[in-house]
Amino acid sequence: MSERKQHKIMLTEDEMPTRWYNVLHDLPTPPPPVLHPGTGQPVGPDDLAPLFPMDLIMQEVSTDQYVDIPEEVLDVYRLWRPSPLFRAHRLEQALDTPARIYYKYEGVSPAGSHKPNTAVPQVYYNAKAGIKKLSTETGAGQWGTALAFACSQFDVECEIWQVRASYDQKPYRKIMIETFGGTIHPSPSALTEAGRSILAKDPDSTGSLGIAISEAVEVAAKDPTINYALGSVLNHVLLHQTIIGEETLLQLAQVGEQADLIVGCTGGGSNFGGLMFPFLRERWAGAMNPVIRAVEPAACPSLTQGTYAYDFGDTIGMTPLMKMHTLGHDFIPDPIHSGGLRYHGMSPLISHLYEDKQIEAVAKPQSECFAAGVLFARTEGIVPAPEPTHALAATVEEALRCKESGEEKVILTALCGHGHLDLAAYDAFLSGTIEDHDWNDANTQASVAAALEKLPVLSS
Ligand SMILES: *Cc1c(COP(=O)(O)O)cnc(C)c1O
């Protein structure tokens, strides 16, 4: 008989953390300000008021170390939180590695990903401010589902623009969003000026997150009763996601472990930031010293190949300018299966930490990622969303390195969503039709170079 293994490390509802951690309080150097696209001056709260409620604007700029989670939000969180931390014994065994692998599983949420962690407070603060309707974009459909769910909890309407490539690949997301009461359109659409201008140039556009953001922002900017909600990138979004890392710290302490390496997938950086910010705090306090590694898709490598510059968050150029690693706001990435990672830019906070060498980054081609996803499904029994298979590919790589060296490293990763509505992507992988796009091919390099030429020029 083998020794009995503990797979799940659980917290009770009473043990759930009741505040979010604000990394801005502890950053070694302050991040560059967000700029107004017209004046080039730092934006003030009033500039953001047409899109966001004041509570969220204040969270965006606050340097308080902690923010108390409102009771109404905690109550919805408890529908699925605290989420489990798993020790991946069976994956370790298959890899024959001395490394100990832990994954924090966010697929237990109503949307099947980490996105409701921020959707719920965003809708709560909007409802509190009297907003009746929210508009947003969604890539793979995770964010749209999360926002539609959260809107159903606080009686707010929800209108969503989904990137065309994903809208066609993942029809079940639309049904789920409609089940939660949301309205959904493929983007680019003929419903907005932004969408019509893209369609005029390319009627068959597969869309991009940047275009969908332009459409959703336009709708909110034009109507004072409608606000906009963003599912990643912004400081307040990453703040809300820190519930992931705070729970994980408690769970690892429960089994007497410390992470040596933390890996997470990065689209806009929210699940990765949410997991690792509390660990950074502990590292800065001298309590632990994990290496922290972001994993991005080789087809959209904003951190490892992008330029660190001021750029728009959307394609048309309506948002404030953020200093971030970017491939250029009108770069349209290949329609890879990880729709949630197809974004031209990276969270300013993550970009700043990367520039400051607090974190590392690697890029992975999707075939390697799906291979890791399939291995994970066959060992741990969860089919991962395509996005976190990037983190799993880097986890497998590191575990195999440990096998070579004999190192007993503790690897921590976020399994930020399940792939139950992404099975067409697995079908493509299993039938051998997944392609890896070479970042260095002439067409890709030309389109990035063209997009980077359109970075906004700042008059100083
Ligand atoms: C949205 C999403 C991502 C990408 O967004 P981040 O802000 O980088 O976390 C990754 N994985 C899943 C499952 C998602 O839904």
Side-chain angles (χ1 to χ4, degrees):
M1 278 292 285
S2 58
E3 169 195 356
R4 180 180 154 169
K5 299 187 179 94
Q6 182 180 4
H7 294 286
K8 296 188 296 298
I9 302 145
M10 310 292 283
L11 298 172
T12 66
E13 287 186 16
D14 287 339
E15 290 170 317
M16 186 171 82
T18 56
R19 24 183 226 178
W20 296 299
Y21 167 59
N22 183 5
V23 77
L24 274 164
H25 178 270
D26 296 326
L27 287 177
T29 54
V34 173
L35 303 181
H36 189 284
T39 64
Q41 295 302 307
V43 296
D46 290 346
D47 295 316
L48 300 172
L51 296 182
F52 302 107
M54 206 39 79
D55 283 328
L56 290 177
I57 294 173
M58 294 328 281
Q59 289 180 4
E60 189 64 21
V61 297
S62 163
T63 53
D64 292 349
Q65 192 173 19
Y66 294 97
V67 177
D68 287 329
I69 306 174
E71 203 43 62
E72 293 86 342
V73 172
L74 288 171
D75 191 62
V76 182
Y77 272 2
R78 282 193 290 264
L79 289 175
W80 73 94
R81 303 210 74 86
S83 70
L85 177 73
F86 284 88
R87 166 91 185 264
H89 289 290
R90 288 168 180 268
L91 176 63
E92 290 169 20
Q93 212 167 15
L95 295 169
D96 190 24
T97 177
R100 300 194 291 285
I101 301 172
Y102 291 87
Y103 60 95
K104 177 71 165 164
Y105 185 43
E106 291 295 310
V108 294
S109 85
S113 75
H114 63 290
K115 297 290 199 317
N117 297 334
T118 185
V120 171
Q122 286 194 46
V123 175
Y124 165 74
Y125 290 117
N126 273 290
K128 192 174 149 223
I131 288 296
K132 300 286 178 236
K133 179 171 172 175
L134 287 172
S135 70
T136 197
E137 73 294 331
T138 193
Q142 285 279 12
W143 171 239
T145 310
L147 197 70
F149 157 71
C151 282
S152 74
Q153 296 294 310
F154 294 101
D155 206 16
V156 171
E157 267 186 80
C158 186
E159 187 165 19
I160 297 165
W161 275 263
Q162 181 172 24
V163 177
R164 172 108 243 169
S166 296
Y167 186 89
D168 294 338
Q169 275 169 358
K170 303 176 187 207
Y172 287 114
R173 279 288 167 198
K174 170 176 184 283
I175 301 168
M176 202 166 167
I177 285 167
E178 289 172 346
T179 302
F180 282 132
T183 307
I184 179 165
H185 317 285
S187 166
S189 77
L191 299 166
T192 64
E193 277 172 41
R196 287 191 293 272
S197 79
I198 300 285
L199 288 172
K201 279 187 271 177
D202 178 8
D204 300 319
S205 170
T206 52
S208 71
L209 275 173
I211 295 170
I213 294 173
S214 295
E215 296 204 82
V217 166
E218 180 184 319
V219 167
K222 281 184 174 162
D223 184 335
T225 68
I226 304 178
N227 266 355
Y228 168 70
L230 188 62
S232 185
V233 179
L234 299 180
N235 299 353
H236 68 267
V237 178
L238 275 62
L239 171 83
H240 300 153
Q241 293 295 353
T242 58
I243 183 93
I244 302 173
E246 294 289 15
E247 285 182 4
T248 308
L249 276 171
L250 298 175
Q251 286 163 309
L252 282 177
Q254 215 182 84
V255 290
E257 291 273 44
Q258 284 208 350
D260 297 304
L261 173 68
I262 300 173
V263 288
C265 69
T266 46
S270 73
N271 86 84
F272 177 63
L275 175 68
M276 63 92 169
F277 284 172
F279 286 83
L280 266 181
R281 175 190 65 215
E282 298 304 313
R283 193 172 86 187
W284 288 328
M288 53 182 71
N289 194 20
V291 170
I292 302 177
R293 187 173 297 154
V295 191
E296 56 186 11
C300 193
S302 52
L303 276 175
T304 55
Q305 302 287 336
T307 301
Y308 186 48
Y310 274 101
D311 198 5
F312 294 105
D314 70 317
T315 298
I316 298 293
M318 292 190 282
T319 69
L321 298 173
M322 295 175 287
K323 189 148 186 196
M324 58 183 177
H325 287 84
T326 178
L327 299 166
H329 59 274
D330 75 354
F331 176 71
I332 298 191
D334 274 318
I336 52 168
H337 289 278
S338 297
L341 306 183
R342 277 182 86 227
Y343 183 60
H344 66 272
M346 180 52 60
S347 142
L349 277 175
I350 303 288
S351 296
H352 181 66
L353 287 163
Y354 182 62
E355 235 7 62
D356 208 22
K357 306 219 165 19
Q358 301 283 340
I359 60 171
E360 306 175 350
V362 294
K364 292 277 175 203
Q366 57 179 350
S367 57
E368 183 184 340
C369 299
F370 278 108
V374 168
L375 175 65
F376 190 86
R378 290 177 188 176
T379 51
E380 293 297 314
I382 299 171
V383 179
E387 292 85 0
T389 64
H390 290 73
L392 291 173
T395 299
V396 167
E397 179 180 50
E398 190 71 27
L400 292 175
R401 241 181 242 144
C402 291
K403 181 182 174 181
E404 289 294 306
S405 66
E407 235 182 315
E408 290 185 20
K409 223 174 233 186
V410 172
I411 305 173
L412 168 66
T413 190
L415 184 60
C416 55
H418 66 63
H420 298 176
L421 299 186
D422 306 287
L423 293 176
Y426 280 88
D427 186 36
F429 175 71
L430 295 170
S431 62
T433 59
I434 286 260
E435 282 174 43
D436 287 330
H437 305 268
D438 180 5
W439 182 253
N440 291 315
D441 82 25
N443 283 342
T444 304
Q445 286 298 308
S447 70
V448 180
L452 288 177
E453 269 188 20
K454 290 188 203 145
L455 286 181
V457 181
L458 293 172
S459 49
S460 48

Short mmCIF file of all heavy atoms in Angstrom, two decimals, residues 161 185-197 199 211 215:
data_model
loop_
_atom_site.label_atom_id
_atom_site.label_comp_id
_atom_site.label_asym_id
_atom_site.label_seq_id
_atom_site.Cartn_x
_atom_site.Cartn_y
_atom_site.Cartn_z
N TRP A 161 -19.54 42.62 -26.49
CA TRP A 161 -19.00 42.43 -27.84
C TRP A 161 -17.94 41.34 -27.78
O TRP A 161 -16.94 41.48 -27.06
CB TRP A 161 -18.40 43.75 -28.37
CG TRP A 161 -19.46 44.60 -28.99
CD1 TRP A 161 -19.74 44.70 -30.32
CD2 TRP A 161 -20.40 45.45 -28.33
NE1 TRP A 161 -20.81 45.55 -30.53
CE2 TRP A 161 -21.24 46.02 -29.32
CE3 TRP A 161 -20.65 45.78 -26.99
CZ2 TRP A 161 -22.27 46.90 -29.02
CZ3 TRP A 161 -21.69 46.65 -26.68
CH2 TRP A 161 -22.48 47.20 -27.69
N HIS A 185 -22.93 40.34 -29.02
CA HIS A 185 -22.76 40.58 -30.46
C HIS A 185 -21.34 40.16 -30.87
O HIS A 185 -20.41 40.37 -30.11
CB HIS A 185 -22.87 42.07 -30.79
CG HIS A 185 -23.98 42.78 -30.09
ND1 HIS A 185 -25.30 42.63 -30.44
CD2 HIS A 185 -23.97 43.64 -29.04
CE1 HIS A 185 -26.05 43.39 -29.64
NE2 HIS A 185 -25.27 44.00 -28.78
N PRO A 186 -21.19 39.67 -32.12
CA PRO A 186 -19.82 39.45 -32.61
C PRO A 186 -19.17 40.79 -32.93
O PRO A 186 -19.85 41.73 -33.32
CB PRO A 186 -20.02 38.62 -33.87
CG PRO A 186 -21.41 38.88 -34.31
CD PRO A 186 -22.21 39.25 -33.09
N SER A 187 -17.85 40.87 -32.71
CA SER A 187 -17.11 42.12 -32.99
C SER A 187 -16.00 41.85 -33.98
O SER A 187 -15.28 40.87 -33.84
CB SER A 187 -16.51 42.64 -31.68
OG SER A 187 -15.54 43.64 -31.95
N PRO A 188 -15.79 42.69 -35.01
CA PRO A 188 -16.46 43.97 -35.24
C PRO A 188 -17.94 43.82 -35.63
O PRO A 188 -18.29 42.89 -36.35
CB PRO A 188 -15.65 44.59 -36.38
CG PRO A 188 -14.90 43.47 -37.02
CD PRO A 188 -14.72 42.43 -35.99
N SER A 189 -18.76 44.76 -35.15
CA SER A 189 -20.19 44.76 -35.45
C SER A 189 -20.53 46.04 -36.20
O SER A 189 -19.77 47.01 -36.20
CB SER A 189 -21.00 44.70 -34.16
OG SER A 189 -21.02 45.98 -33.54
N ALA A 190 -21.73 46.04 -36.81
CA ALA A 190 -22.20 47.25 -37.50
C ALA A 190 -22.92 48.18 -36.52
O ALA A 190 -23.49 49.19 -36.92
CB ALA A 190 -23.12 46.85 -38.65
N LEU A 191 -22.91 47.84 -35.23
CA LEU A 191 -23.69 48.60 -34.24
C LEU A 191 -22.96 49.84 -33.72
O LEU A 191 -23.57 50.68 -33.07
CB LEU A 191 -24.03 47.70 -33.05
CG LEU A 191 -24.87 46.46 -33.38
CD1 LEU A 191 -24.86 45.48 -32.23
CD2 LEU A 191 -26.29 46.88 -33.72
N THR A 192 -21.65 49.92 -33.97
CA THR A 192 -20.88 51.06 -33.46
C THR A 192 -20.07 51.67 -34.59
O THR A 192 -19.79 51.02 -35.60
CB THR A 192 -19.87 50.61 -32.37
OG1 THR A 192 -18.91 49.73 -32.98
CG2 THR A 192 -20.57 49.89 -31.22
N GLU A 193 -19.68 52.93 -34.39
CA GLU A 193 -18.81 53.58 -35.39
C GLU A 193 -17.48 52.85 -35.49
O GLU A 193 -16.94 52.66 -36.58
CB GLU A 193 -18.54 55.03 -34.98
CG GLU A 193 -19.64 55.98 -35.39
CD GLU A 193 -19.42 57.37 -34.81
OE1 GLU A 193 -18.26 57.83 -34.78
OE2 GLU A 193 -20.41 57.97 -34.35
N ALA A 194 -16.94 52.45 -34.33
CA ALA A 194 -15.66 51.74 -34.33
C ALA A 194 -15.75 50.46 -35.16
O ALA A 194 -14.90 50.19 -36.01
CB ALA A 194 -15.25 51.41 -32.89
N GLY A 195 -16.81 49.68 -34.93
CA GLY A 195 -16.99 48.42 -35.65
C GLY A 195 -17.16 48.66 -37.15
O GLY A 195 -16.56 47.97 -37.98
N ARG A 196 -17.99 49.68 -37.48
CA ARG A 196 -18.22 49.97 -38.91
C ARG A 196 -16.94 50.40 -39.60
O ARG A 196 -16.69 50.03 -40.75
CB ARG A 196 -19.31 51.05 -39.05
CG ARG A 196 -20.72 50.52 -38.72
CD ARG A 196 -21.82 51.51 -39.12
NE ARG A 196 -21.81 52.74 -38.33
CZ ARG A 196 -22.47 52.88 -37.16
NH1 ARG A 196 -23.17 51.88 -36.66
NH2 ARG A 196 -22.41 54.03 -36.51
N SER A 197 -16.07 51.14 -38.90
CA SER A 197 -14.84 51.60 -39.55
C SER A 197 -13.89 50.43 -39.82
O SER A 197 -13.20 50.40 -40.83
CB SER A 197 -14.15 52.69 -38.72
OG SER A 197 -13.44 52.12 -37.64
N LEU A 199 -14.95 47.23 -40.30
CA LEU A 199 -15.59 46.42 -41.34
C LEU A 199 -15.44 47.06 -42.72
O LEU A 199 -15.35 46.35 -43.73
CB LEU A 199 -17.07 46.21 -41.02
CG LEU A 199 -17.37 45.26 -39.84
CD1 LEU A 199 -18.85 45.28 -39.49
CD2 LEU A 199 -16.91 43.83 -40.17
N ILE A 211 -10.29 45.80 -30.78
CA ILE A 211 -11.46 46.30 -31.52
C ILE A 211 -12.72 46.19 -30.67
O ILE A 211 -13.53 47.12 -30.58
CB ILE A 211 -11.65 45.51 -32.84
CG1 ILE A 211 -10.47 45.73 -33.78
CG2 ILE A 211 -12.96 45.90 -33.51
CD1 ILE A 211 -10.47 44.80 -35.00
N GLU A 215 -15.49 49.12 -29.33
CA GLU A 215 -16.95 49.11 -29.49
C GLU A 215 -17.66 49.30 -28.15
O GLU A 215 -18.58 50.11 -28.01
CB GLU A 215 -17.40 47.79 -30.15
CG GLU A 215 -16.85 47.64 -31.57
CD GLU A 215 -17.68 46.71 -32.43
OE1 GLU A 215 -18.71 47.16 -32.97
OE2 GLU A 215 -17.31 45.52 -32.55
#
